[in-house]
């Protein structure tokens, strides 16, 4: 197992020797993270600032130092399979010192922007899609049955991230971020357009405890938790670029797959069932037997994806997409008993 890399004492130490440092105009993420371009030794980097006062996803995760900092100092990112291009090269507490209550961290990353999936409405290629699934399976297989070292952001927190509580909490602190506001609009909308789905998932969005407890009886691994296309790419060597290690932790492997299906639904070149089958085959190819647990965990994780995205699906009205997820939620509900 690789040694855990050191955490820099400060942001100044992290970017020591920089000859350029400029804000990336208009590049702030939906979470509120702040990005800068940095040149060190003639090479381009991106400096990402995760600050608890500015970043609603940090507040939702409850990980005050910043999840990437914990994953970095525990050596988890150094253990990723070779099929990944993980661009973080250094991490520091955002405010220096001993991780004060204000919280946050800064990430120094190689500039991988030329390899990222283009931000369009077009489906990605089948080849790239299948590569993402194979590499997702490789990640999960590498950490299969992992222990407490992979407990970064708890499962419960991940299922609460996009809950009605988020909207209430962000409104209470005067947050102007778009996503929490849409979350607040979307959950009541789900009850209007898909009352059967809402009856199952809205209580779980407020208290995911029954879902988390049911999943605990199935296999767990280290999950990334945000396999959206905005965080993905393919480099010149065919490795998968994977950004945004801000909600990782120990969890059900199929929760990553369900998130991928839910958030990227409009751009996938393959149907949901074919995508599920392709991932399962990739996991089996890595030596993981799935027969004993697959159906139960898949049903629970598909339900979990609607617990996370019911608000978003509802904003589009009752269409074929929402109908599919509603069917999965109703099918899985008895497993919570």
């Amino acid at each position: 197992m690789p040694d855990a890399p050191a955490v820099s004492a400060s942001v100044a130490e992290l970017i020591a020797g920089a000859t350029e440092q400029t804000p990336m105009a208009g590049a702030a993420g939906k979470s509120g993270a702040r990005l800068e371009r940095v040149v060190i030794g003639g090479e381009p980097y991106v400096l990402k600032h995760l600050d608890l006062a500015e970043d609603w996803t940090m507040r939702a995760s409850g990980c005050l130092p910043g999840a990437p900092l914990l994953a970095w100092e525990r050596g988890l990112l150094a253990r990723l399979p070779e099929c990944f291009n993980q661009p973080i090269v250094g991490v520091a507490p955002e405010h220096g010192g001993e991780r004060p209550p204000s919280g946050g961290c800064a990430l120094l990353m190689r500039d991988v922007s030329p390899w990222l999936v283009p931000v369009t409405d077009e489906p990605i290629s089948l080849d790239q899609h299948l590569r993402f699934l194979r590499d997702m399976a490789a990640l999960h297989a590498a950490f299969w049955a992992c222990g407490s070292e992979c407990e970064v952001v708890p499962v419960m927190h991940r299922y609460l991230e996009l809950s009605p509580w988020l909207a209430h909490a962000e409104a209470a602190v005067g947050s102007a971020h778009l996503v929490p506001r849409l979350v607040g609009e979307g959950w009541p909308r789900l009850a209007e357009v898909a009352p059967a789905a809402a009856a199952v998932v809205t209580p779980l969005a407020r208290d995911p405890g029954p879902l988390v407890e049911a999943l605990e009886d199935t296999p767990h691994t280290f999950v990334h938790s945000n396999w959206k296309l905005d965080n993905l790419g393919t480099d010149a060597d065919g490795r998968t670029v994977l950004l945004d290690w801000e909600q990782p932790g120990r969890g059900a492997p199929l929760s990553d797959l369900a998130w991928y299906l839910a958030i990227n639904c409009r751009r996938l070149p393959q149907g949901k069932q074919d995508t599920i089958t392709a991932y399962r085959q990739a996991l089996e190819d890595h030596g993981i037997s799935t027969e004993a647990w697959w159906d139960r965990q898949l049903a629970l994780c598909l339900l979990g994806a609607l617990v996370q995205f019911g608000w978003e699906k509802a904003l589009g009205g009752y269409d074929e997409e929402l109908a599919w997820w509603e069917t999965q939620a109703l099918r899985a509900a008895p497993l919570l008993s």
Side-chain angles (χ1 to χ4, degrees), residues 80-85 127-142 227 232-235 238-242 256 278-279 282-283 286:
L80 298 182
E82 293 183 358
C83 58
F84 286 97
N85 178 338
D127 179 70
Q128 187 173 47
H129 164 73
L130 294 175
R131 180 183 289 110
F132 290 157
L133 296 175
R134 290 194 300 269
D135 292 349
M136 181 189 293
L139 169 66
H140 295 158
W227 280 77
L232 291 164
T234 305
D235 73 11
R239 297 177 299 169
T240 289
V241 176
L242 188 55
D256 266 345
Y279 167 86
L283 199 58
H286 282 285

Side-chain angles (χ1 to χ4, degrees), residues 189-302:
R189 177 72 173 151
L190 182 66
E192 297 173 8
V193 301
V200 174
V201 303
T202 303
L204 291 171
R206 292 185 174 276
D207 177 12
L211 175 61
V212 173
E213 185 176 356
L215 281 169
E216 192 59 37
D217 293 332
T218 65
H220 279 51
T221 185
F222 184 53
V223 296
H224 174 269
S225 298
N226 197 352
W227 280 77
K228 66 177 179 180
L229 295 183
D230 288 353
N231 293 332
L232 291 164
T234 305
D235 73 11
D237 297 319
R239 297 177 299 169
T240 289
V241 176
L242 188 55
L243 303 175
D244 198 354
W245 291 87
E246 289 155 37
Q247 296 284 341
R250 180 178 171 274
L254 298 186
S255 65
D256 266 345
L257 177 64
W259 179 285
Y260 179 84
L261 288 171
I263 202 167
N264 302 314
C265 61
R266 310 296 181 189
R267 299 190 60 191
L268 298 184
Q270 195 175 41
K272 290 181 176 65
Q273 189 53 57
D274 287 341
T275 297
I276 291 167
T277 300
Y279 167 86
R280 184 177 188 176
Q281 183 59 58
L283 199 58
E284 292 272 359
D285 290 345
H286 282 285
I288 303 298
S289 176
T290 63
E291 183 176 357
W293 57 270
W294 179 269
D295 290 343
R296 178 177 176 82
Q297 188 177 107
L298 177 63
L300 289 168
C301 286
L302 293 178

Side-chain angles (χ1 to χ4, degrees), residues 293-332:
W293 57 270
W294 179 269
D295 290 343
R296 178 177 176 82
Q297 188 177 107
L298 177 63
L300 289 168
C301 286
L302 293 178
L303 167 59
L306 197 59
V307 169
Q308 292 168 312
F309 287 110
W311 63 273
E312 188 268 345
K313 302 300 179 186
L315 292 174
Y318 194 83
D319 57 7
E320 183 178 349
E321 174 69 11
L322 178 52
W324 188 90
W325 288 101
E326 180 179 61
T327 298
Q328 309 314 310
L330 297 177
R331 183 178 297 160

Side-chain angles (χ1 to χ4, degrees), residues 86-173:
Q86 187 290 111
I88 300 173
V89 297
V91 180
E94 178 66 27
H95 302 285
E98 297 299 322
R99 300 179 196 169
S102 53
C105 61
L107 316 175
L108 184 65
M109 303 180 289
R110 292 186 303 274
D111 185 356
V112 294
S113 55
W115 298 319
L116 296 179
V117 172
V119 180
T120 71
D121 294 328
E122 296 299 316
I124 61 174
S125 71
L126 181 61
D127 179 70
Q128 187 173 47
H129 164 73
L130 294 175
R131 180 183 289 110
F132 290 157
L133 296 175
R134 290 194 300 269
D135 292 349
M136 181 189 293
L139 169 66
H140 295 158
F143 287 88
W144 200 255
C146 60
S148 59
E149 78 282 1
C150 290
E151 293 280 9
V152 182
V153 175
V155 177
M156 182 74 79
H157 292 201
R158 294 199 295 271
Y159 280 117
L160 284 169
E161 180 190 3
L162 298 170
S163 72
W165 300 117
L166 167 75
H168 295 321
E170 291 299 303
V173 298

